[in-house]
Amino acid sequence: MSIRTSMNHRPAVVATSAPSDGKGGKGAARVFGSAVAGVSELLIFHPVDTVAKRLMMTEKSLIVPSSLAATSGNLNQAIFKEAASVGFFAKWQSLFPGLGFGAGYKILQRVYKFGGQPYVKEFIDRNFGDSFRSTFGAKTGKTIMAATAGSIMGVGEIALLPLDVLKIRSQTNPESLQGRGVVQIFREEGLALYRGAGWTAARNAPGSFSLFGGAALSKQLMGVQDGKATWTQDAIASVAGATASITVAAPLDVIKTRLQSGTSTESGSTILFNLARTEGPGAFFRGLWPKLLVVGPKLVFSFTVAQQMIGVFERQMGGR
C-alpha cells in the first residue's frame, strides 16, 4: 500500500500500535485489544514474574560454585519459600500469590500503556512533529516520537503504583497483607502505597522509551509502513524492544522491588549504596535472566497480541 500524506502534508507515522483513521470504534478497539493482551500475559507469565521478584528480593548469594546441590537448594528456597519442601503441583500453585492484585494491575497497565501510547504519539506528531523530523530526520524522527510517547506513558504509570506494590508484596512478603481486605489496606496505608514512586518513574522512563523506540526502529528497519505489520513482524519488533527495555531498566527495577516489598524501611538511595557495597554490581541485574528468557513469548502474548487484536477489533467495530 502506498503512503499518502495528509492534508497538512505530514508523512505517515510509523506506529507501534494499530493505526487509526479517526472513525468510530478506534478508542474501544484499543481498550479491548490491550485488555486481551493483558489477560493473556497474566495467565501465562504471572509465575515467571513471581520467580523474578523473589530472586531480586534475595540478598544472599545463591550460587555456590563448588556445590551444585547447595546452589539448587538455595534457588529452591528463594523461589518457593514455604513451599520449598512440598510436591511439584503445590510448588506451582505457590507461584500465583497476589493474582487478584496482579490481574487488576496488569490489565489496567496494558490498556493504559498499549492503548494510550498511540494517542500521545499522535499528539506529539501534531504539535511537535516538524521539530522532531527536522532534528532527527524523517525516519528517525518517527521512531523518536514513538519512543518519547512511550516514555511519557511510562512515567504516568505511577498512578497504578498501589496495585503494583500490593502485587509485589503478595509475591515476596504475603504475611504483611494477611487478615486485611483491599479497602482496609488502602485506608491504613494511604500514600505509603506510593513509596518508591520516584524510582518507579526513573525506571519506567528509559524502559518504556526503549520498548516503544526499539519496536518502532525494528519496524523501520523491516520496512513496515503505517503499522501494517504481520504477526511475525510484530513479534520480532516486540522482542527487540522488550529486550532493550528490560536490560536498561534492570538496576532500577531491583531497587524499586525492594522498596515496594514492605521488608525494608531504607530509602532508595540507601538501598542503592548497600547493593553496590555489600552485594556487588551483579546484584543490580539479579532476576534479569528469568525475565530475558521469556521476553520472546511474553511479548507475543502482550505487545504483539495488543497490536494485532486492536486491528481485529477496529475492523469489527467499523474503525477502518
Side-chain angles (χ1 to χ4, degrees), residues 161-315:
L161 197 57
L163 288 174
D164 190 27
V165 170
L166 295 176
K167 176 179 75 75
I168 291 175
R169 288 191 189 178
S170 297
Q171 293 171 312
T172 62
N173 186 26
E175 296 80 10
S176 66
L177 303 178
Q178 287 181 351
R180 296 191 293 169
V182 176
V183 175
Q184 182 181 358
I185 292 172
F186 274 85
R187 185 172 61 247
E188 291 177 356
E189 304 212 15
L191 293 177
L193 292 174
Y194 282 93
R195 187 181 182 216
W199 289 96
T200 299
R203 179 204 68 165
N204 287 356
S208 294
F209 184 95
S210 300
L211 172 64
F212 287 96
L217 178 60
S218 296
K219 290 182 178 181
Q220 175 186 320
L221 294 175
M222 288 187 288
V224 177
Q225 299 176 345
D226 294 319
K228 303 291 186 180
T230 64
W231 278 91
T232 300
Q233 290 170 328
D234 269 333
I236 293 172
S238 297
V239 169
T243 301
S245 174
I246 292 173
T247 303
V248 167
L252 290 172
D253 199 29
V254 172
I255 297 172
K256 166 185 169 291
T257 298
R258 296 196 180 189
L259 275 172
Q260 295 175 344
S261 68
T263 61
S264 173
T265 58
E266 297 175 336
S267 67
S269 57
T270 301
I271 291 175
L272 172 65
F273 176 76
N274 288 338
L275 273 170
R277 184 184 63 177
T278 63
E279 299 181 47
F284 290 104
F285 294 92
R286 187 167 288 162
L288 174 62
W289 282 109
K291 288 187 175 183
L292 287 177
L293 289 173
V294 297
V295 162
K298 181 175 183 177
L299 264 298
V300 168
F301 286 95
S302 55
F303 202 52
T304 302
V305 170
Q307 294 175 88
Q308 292 291 327
M309 291 307 299
I310 287 172
V312 170
F313 283 118
E314 281 193 342
R315 287 190 293 272

Side-chain angles (χ1 to χ4, degrees), residues 72-188:
S72 178
N74 289 342
L75 289 171
N76 182 51
Q77 187 63 46
I79 292 171
F80 298 108
K81 294 185 174 292
E82 292 80 5
S85 59
V86 300
F88 173 80
F89 290 106
K91 284 184 175 180
W92 179 254
Q93 290 177 339
S94 73
L95 297 179
F96 284 90
L99 187 60
F101 295 126
Y105 173 71
K106 184 57 63 180
I107 295 171
L108 287 175
Q109 181 199 42
R110 292 317 186 202
V111 169
Y112 164 80
K113 179 176 280 187
F114 294 163
Q117 186 265 355
Y119 288 106
V120 177
K121 183 183 58 191
E122 290 163 3
F123 174 84
I124 292 174
D125 184 46
R126 284 195 306 270
N127 295 275
F128 308 103
D130 292 339
S131 297
F132 275 87
R133 282 182 283 272
S134 63
T135 302
F136 301 103
K139 292 184 177 180
T140 304
K142 297 171 190 177
T143 300
I144 298 297
M145 281 190 281
T148 301
S151 184
I152 292 171
M153 296 301 292
V155 172
E157 274 188 73
I158 59 175
L160 303 176
L161 197 57
L163 288 174
D164 190 27
V165 170
L166 295 176
K167 176 179 75 75
I168 291 175
R169 288 191 189 178
S170 297
Q171 293 171 312
T172 62
N173 186 26
E175 296 80 10
S176 66
L177 303 178
Q178 287 181 351
R180 296 191 293 169
V182 176
V183 175
Q184 182 181 358
I185 292 172
F186 274 85
R187 185 172 61 247
E188 291 177 356

